[in-house]
């Protein structure tokens, strides 16, 4: 069972373990964003054997020192490895201390510097949850706040009925900020999304309440979405799909019940015929009894003679 489940995950493109992300550092000024705890493979060069000597610095400290295919030293050897054949430097279990500016220095046979390239590695925590809070204001309108946990450098965006919120629909605030105040006449399904360079999470949103119906009464709503929960918004397509799916299930169940009843009936008929056949063969009457009487009469006639 576990083997079948593993094969299914492989076919679906799902793998266990830590994900490895690749970043091309062969261009000067490359920027890489990676999540905490995962691994990264940094492509520093095509082939180290073509370089007489190379050094890789992090914030003015030599991390890697090598000559062609030979790695002379690696300051991060406990958490990293370097492959000279393809020029990939791999760092496992990324931490915040791994972030920073890395610089590659390469030299020719005469010791003269060939190239100088820099790479900026940024480590971020992904968005783990989003909290959406709305509040009716006494003067009309609605204040809405969107906050997140865990994310480094979060960016916020708003949609109303699936369309990007416009400045004309706001009483105050910015559509790219996490706190906005909507005009009183704005209605629809409001959603908030929080993202950074490595992750994105959206709330299920909620239908805006007409605050004027409460005559200034304070009203607030809270909606929390985390990485352990999700929601789907029903549409006409999904409803139709659900109905079709239910009809299919009912049809299959009816077919199974029909097959079971047919099998029971066939078994009953077969057993009844078998019983009648066995009963008929065991009866004392019939041709055997008549033959016995004839034989007795023949023996009686012979004795008289």
């Amino acid at each position: 069972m576990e083997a079948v489940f593993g094969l299914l995950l492989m076919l679906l493109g799902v793998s266990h373990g830590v994900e490895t992300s690749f970043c091309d550092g062969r261009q000067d000024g490359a920027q890489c964003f990676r999540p905490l705890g995962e691994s990264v493979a940094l492509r520093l060069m095509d082939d180290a054997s073509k370089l007489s000597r190379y050094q890789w610095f992090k914030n003015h400290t030599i991390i890697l020192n090598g000559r062609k295919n030979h790695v002379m030293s690696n300051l991060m050897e406990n958490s990293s490895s370097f492959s000279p054949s393809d020029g990939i430097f791999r760092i496992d279990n990324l931490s915040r201390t791994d972030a920073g500016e890395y610089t590659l220095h390469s030299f020719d046979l005469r010791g003269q510097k060939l190239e100088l390239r820099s790479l900026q590695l940024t480590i971020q925590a992904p968005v783990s949850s989003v909290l959406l809070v709305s509040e009716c204001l006494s003067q009309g309108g609605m204040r809405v706040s969107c906050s997140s946990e865990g994310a480094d450098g979060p960016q916020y965006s708003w949609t109303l009925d699936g369309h990007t919120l416009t400045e004309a629909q706001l009483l105050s605030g910015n559509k790219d900020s996490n706190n906005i105040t909507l005009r009183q006449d704005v209605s629809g399904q409001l959603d908030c999304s929080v993202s950074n360079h490595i992750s994105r999470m959206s709330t299920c949103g909620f239908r805006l309440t007409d605050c004027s119906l409460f005559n200034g009464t304070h009203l607030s709503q809270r909606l929390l979405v985390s990485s352990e929960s999700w929601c789907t918004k029903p549409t006409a397509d999904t409803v139709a799909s659900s109905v079709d799916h239910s009809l299919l299930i009912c049809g299959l169940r009816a077919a199974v019940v029909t097959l079971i009843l047919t099998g029971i009936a066939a078994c009953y008929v077969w057993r009844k015929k078998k019983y009648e056949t066995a009963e008929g063969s065991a009866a004392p009457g019939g041709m055997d009894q008549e033959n016995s009487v004839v034989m007795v009469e023949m023996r009686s006639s012979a004795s008289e003679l």
Side-chain angles (χ1 to χ4, degrees), residues 167-183:
E167 298 289 348
Q169 294 167 323
L170 298 177
L171 188 62
S172 64
N174 187 294
K175 64 183 181 66
D176 296 324
S177 64
N178 64 323
N179 293 297
I180 59 173
T181 302
L182 297 168
R183 293 184 180 275

Side-chain angles (χ1 to χ4, degrees), residues 4 11 45 51 145 157 162 191 225 238 254 256 260 267 269 285 303:
V4 175
L11 292 175
M45 60 198 75
L51 299 176
S145 174
S157 60
D191 297 328
V225 178
T238 57
V256 171
I260 292 175
C267 182
V269 172
S303 60

Side-chain angles (χ1 to χ4, degrees), residues 102-270:
Y102 292 82
T103 307
L104 178 66
H105 300 254
S106 57
F107 305 88
D108 59 14
L109 294 175
R110 296 175 295 179
Q112 294 184 355
K113 188 175 295 185
L114 292 175
E115 194 174 10
L116 178 65
R117 294 199 305 268
S118 64
L119 179 149
Q120 183 70 38
L121 178 61
T122 303
I123 310 300
Q124 290 186 333
V127 181
S128 60
S129 65
V130 178
L131 177 63
L132 188 62
V133 179
S134 64
E135 179 184 6
C136 278
L137 303 177
S138 58
Q139 67 271 25
M142 176 178 288
R143 180 187 295 118
V144 187
S145 174
C146 183
S147 59
S148 63
E149 291 185 0
D152 292 323
Q155 296 180 347
Y156 300 89
S157 60
W158 301 85
T159 59
L160 185 66
D161 290 335
H163 302 285
T164 302
L165 198 66
T166 63
E167 298 289 348
Q169 294 167 323
L170 298 177
L171 188 62
S172 64
N174 187 294
K175 64 183 181 66
D176 296 324
S177 64
N178 64 323
N179 293 297
I180 59 173
T181 302
L182 297 168
R183 293 184 180 275
Q184 189 171 351
D185 58 347
V186 175
S187 62
Q189 184 81 13
L190 183 68
D191 297 328
C192 171
S193 296
V194 184
S195 63
N196 56 13
H197 288 91
I198 61 168
S199 64
R200 179 184 180 86
M201 183 176 290
S202 299
T203 64
C204 303
F206 60 86
R207 178 66 56 176
L208 292 175
T209 303
D210 187 356
C211 294
S212 62
L213 298 176
F214 296 89
N215 297 324
T217 303
H218 180 80
L219 176 71
S220 64
Q221 303 178 79
R222 294 170 64 88
L223 178 65
L224 175 65
V225 178
S226 66
S227 57
E228 289 79 25
S229 64
W230 66 92
C231 62
T232 57
K233 302 170 187 175
T235 62
D237 293 337
T238 57
V239 171
S241 178
S242 300
V243 172
D244 294 342
H245 187 63
S246 300
L247 291 175
L248 177 61
I249 293 177
C250 292
L252 290 175
R253 288 178 177 174
V256 171
V257 171
T258 302
L259 289 174
I260 292 175
L261 293 176
T262 303
I264 293 175
C267 182
Y268 174 77
V269 172
W270 177 77

